[in-house]
Amino acid sequence: MAGTGTLASLGDVMQLAFVPSDFEAALKHWTEVIGAGPFFLLPNVSLPDGRYRGEPSDPVFTMALGYWGDMQIELIQPENEAASIYRGDYGVADRLHHVCVLVDSIVEARARCGEVGAEIIFEAPVGDTGGVIYADPGRGPGNLVELLEPQAGTRELFAMMRDAARGWDGSEPLRSLG
């Protein structure tokens, strides 16, 4: 980690996230061309009590998570029209959408956003014990930083996915989790 008092001081980037216009083609590209995977599908994820630019919003989306080495790749497919980072001004497709940093404290992450002038675009509780903030550090769409305080069990789930990628033989490129 670098830069005390910066967003980088909260943790290392552990994920690259994309909102492809063709979800199936993106999965095929990442697994067959890049060699990332397998991907784990989480359909119809909801973030109740979310706030997009300060207003209530409940986006629903499907995500596929896989690993390319130690880097997690997230592919996102919006499932509803709720105001969110996946629609409107921040709904960039077919290029890097955001990066993710796991944090120990969403409260500290929120404070750090304020200290560096990063605008909080979306925030929501995650499960009973976690939280997420998507912040614009000043470069606009395609440059969001997700700050995720994972709920209990998330780090172990990510470790299982990363372990599945080690030595993966290309079989079952898409697996269901929910």
Side-chain angles (χ1 to χ4, degrees):
M1 290 185 286
T4 302
T6 67
L7 291 180
S9 68
L10 292 170
D12 295 326
V13 171
M14 56 74 61
Q15 177 198 81
L16 305 175
F18 303 86
V19 182
S21 55
D22 185 332
F23 194 74
E24 297 301 321
L27 278 167
K28 184 174 179 164
H29 174 78
W30 278 100
T31 57
E32 294 180 11
V33 176
I34 303 298
F39 279 80
F40 293 85
L41 190 68
L42 291 91
N44 300 310
V45 175
S46 176
L47 295 172
D49 301 320
R51 300 188 73 72
Y52 178 78
R53 295 196 138 161
E55 298 296 320
S57 181
D58 185 11
V60 177
F61 54 95
T62 292
M63 67 175 148
L65 299 172
Y67 277 82
W68 183 23
D70 286 329
M71 181 62 64
Q72 186 183 85
I73 305 299
E74 179 182 29
L75 304 175
I76 303 155
Q77 179 175 290
E79 299 291 354
N80 70 359
E81 297 297 323
S84 75
I85 58 171
Y86 309 123
R87 303 277 186 209
D89 293 343
Y90 283 89
V92 300
D94 300 322
R95 64 182 178 117
L96 183 65
H97 185 271
H98 67 268
V99 298
C100 179
V101 174
L102 296 183
V103 300
D104 293 328
S105 167
I106 204 70
V107 173
E108 180 184 348
R110 171 179 265 293
R112 189 67 43 82
C113 287
E115 290 168 10
V116 301
E119 179 186 1
I120 295 175
I121 304 300
F122 183 83
E123 62 184 316
V126 176
D128 293 333
T129 59
V132 67
I133 289 172
Y134 291 86
D136 180 347
R139 305 293 260 168
N143 292 283
L144 293 176
V145 177
E146 175 185 5
L147 302 165
L148 174 64
E149 179 183 346
Q151 66 180 326
T154 300
R155 290 179 193 270
E156 293 81 5
L157 179 64
F158 289 171
M160 179 278 296
M161 292 174 179
R162 189 175 47 251
D163 289 346
R166 291 193 172 103
W168 177 55
D169 63 5
S171 64
E172 287 186 84
L174 184 61
R175 302 170 185 191
S176 182
L177 277 181

